[in-house]
Amino acid sequence: MSLLRQAADWTRHHAALPLLAALLVVAGLVINFLGSPLLVNIFTFFCVSLMMVIGVQVFMGNSGILSFLHVGFVGVGAYVSGLLSTAPATKALGVPNLYPFLVDIQIPVLPAIAVGGLVAALIAVIIGYPLMRLSDAVAVITLFATLIVFHVIMTQWDNVTNGPRTFFGVPEYTTLIVALVAAVGFLLVGYWFRESSVGLRLRASRDDRYAAAATGIHVMGVRYAGFVLSALMGGLAGGLWAHYITSFSPKAFYLTEMFLLISMIVIGGTGSISGAVIGTTLVTVAREGLRQVEAFINNARVLPFEVYGLTELVLAVLLVLVLVWRPAGVIGGQEIGVRLLRNRRALPQEDVPTD
Amino acid sequence: METMLRVTDIHAAYGAVRALHGVSLEVAEGEVVALLGVNGAGKSTTLRAITGLMKPTQGSITFRGEDITGRKPESIVKRGLSLVPEGREIFSTLTVEENLRLGAYVSYSRETYREDLEEMFELFPILKERFTQAGGLLSGGEQQMLAIARALMARPKLLMLDEPSLGLSPAITDHVFELIAQLRERGLTILLVEQNAERALEVVDKAYLLSNGVVEASGTAAEVKAQVDLASIYLGGEDSDGTGVGM
């Protein structure tokens, strides 16, 4: 096969990746050029959310195991990165009971984010070893229980997280451009993993665990790899988020946020990176729109009472509707390019003799 | 001929339910052997034990002189033992190409992959047409072809087929048995599990008849056939669609 044909072949099979990356970059640059603070904020937050969702997709989408735990890794990344990069004076003020050796440490933001990701990955290495042997509902419930453990530790470990109170003073670092570059990087990694040999074997184990084992796939091994990578990505995304939001409490890494991430990935379609991008886009737009509506209703006193939780309510309804009508998500389990190509072919109808 | 697979007195159970009570069998190199019996006789359980999907509680399994009892499936597949699971368990959201690539995974190298792929296209032309489609979009017969092709991509020394004709139309069943005969001519060693004893005995050298977890009869195809005729009532006799079993 000539090099040119190989390149053409590759582009045809992987059209989704350059397409999504280009859309993301163009949107980011246009918004950055316009400079509207509201739009810049929304887009930066969108990029960070997208990173978290891709992190979830790497494990959940490829292994088929619903993971509520992921937001816990985001929290680990956020706290580690925040603790390592915040000025000692601020930390001493903000977290009165902080261990002395943690007070003194201060390293630049980028390495701090990297360490945050690595710590999250290390935790995944430890807890994944037993957890990845579980499948189906048992795995889902155990991962959920583990999130509760994470949350309890974050709210109780006074000497590190300041307990349930707010951790503040994290240096600002994540601008729109930083978030954009990181999001494109995550897009590449997520896509690469899905197509990689490990990703392919993980997807096979999702389709049929026993057939996968009979094919010689070490199911637990590939799950473990996906879990650790997913945690690493979650930790890194958490770090970037921390340096964008600058103050947070353990509440930010619990059910509400995890529900948001899950709704993003499920609405878009768990099986592909395209699904992650589309789901994050739809939910972000819906969320920001609803927030405006909510603010408008409350400010204009259209109703005799204040409206709260409209966003969550509408998202929940949206999630139910998607699950009823399109269980595989808005775009289904395929990447967008491949899907468009495939739709043009006739589907085989029934069991007909092949000779 | 050298013995390739030797199963000695294996016992296995699903929880408290004992499924095998001491099954022994041998498959020599180049042989095609059938494992016959009704539903629940222990055929699939025997295959599951051989491939490591289930651990026997007692007994031993050796493959090419090496003890593989209780080993993990992935290490057994690497030794050259491929299973085509019952019910055409292909990876339905993955494309035909990805399914085949996964089959080749244990022996993957770029050159042999291309070569093997060409060979599979020759054996199963339909897979070439459906190459980029999701496995789940294939018809039942095509899925069975894909499942067999996937197992062959691993370049197995012993191929095990679990009920390959189950739920297929008579025409496709014919095709599957033709294929088994074809693979046999190529010198592949095959262990075939079938309810459809009549059809199976046409293509095999040797057969074992399982009943309630023990080997009830064994011998060459002709020898077993003599006994099968006696026992035709519960082996299904003339039933040729592979689904019905005489009550």
Side-chain angles (χ1 to χ4, degrees), chain A residues 129 133 210 212-221, chain B residues 47-56 61 63 66-81 106:
Chain A
Y129 193 74
R133 287 155 202 276
Y210 297 110
T215 316
I217 293 169
H218 189 311
V219 174
M220 188 226 149
Chain B
L47 284 199
R48 289 173 69 90
I50 295 172
T51 38
L53 287 168
M54 182 174 188
K55 207 171 172 167
I61 301 159
F63 181 60
E66 190 187 358
D67 187 10
I68 57 164
T69 322
R71 281 192 187 272
K72 295 230 163 65
E74 58 269 19
S75 83
I76 290 175
V77 177
K78 284 199 180 91
R79 285 174 168 77
L81 222 154
V106 288

Side-chain angles (χ1 to χ4, degrees), chain B residues 201-243:
Chain B
L201 287 171
E202 288 167 15
V203 295
V204 302
D205 301 299
K206 223 167 70 181
Y208 291 86
L209 172 60
L210 279 188
S211 172
N212 293 321
V214 293
V215 176
E216 205 174 67
S218 65
T220 63
E223 284 167 6
V224 173
K225 203 161 195 171
Q227 301 172 57
V228 164
D229 278 337
L230 291 172
S232 63
I233 290 171
Y234 93 100
L235 267 184
E238 296 303 310
D239 196 347
S240 67
D241 64 12
T243 52

Side-chain angles (χ1 to χ4, degrees), chain A residues 1-12:
Chain A
M1 207 188 278
S2 77
L3 208 66
L4 201 71
R5 249 188 74 192
Q6 251 177 15
D9 217 45
W10 190 90
T11 323
R12 194 154 49 84

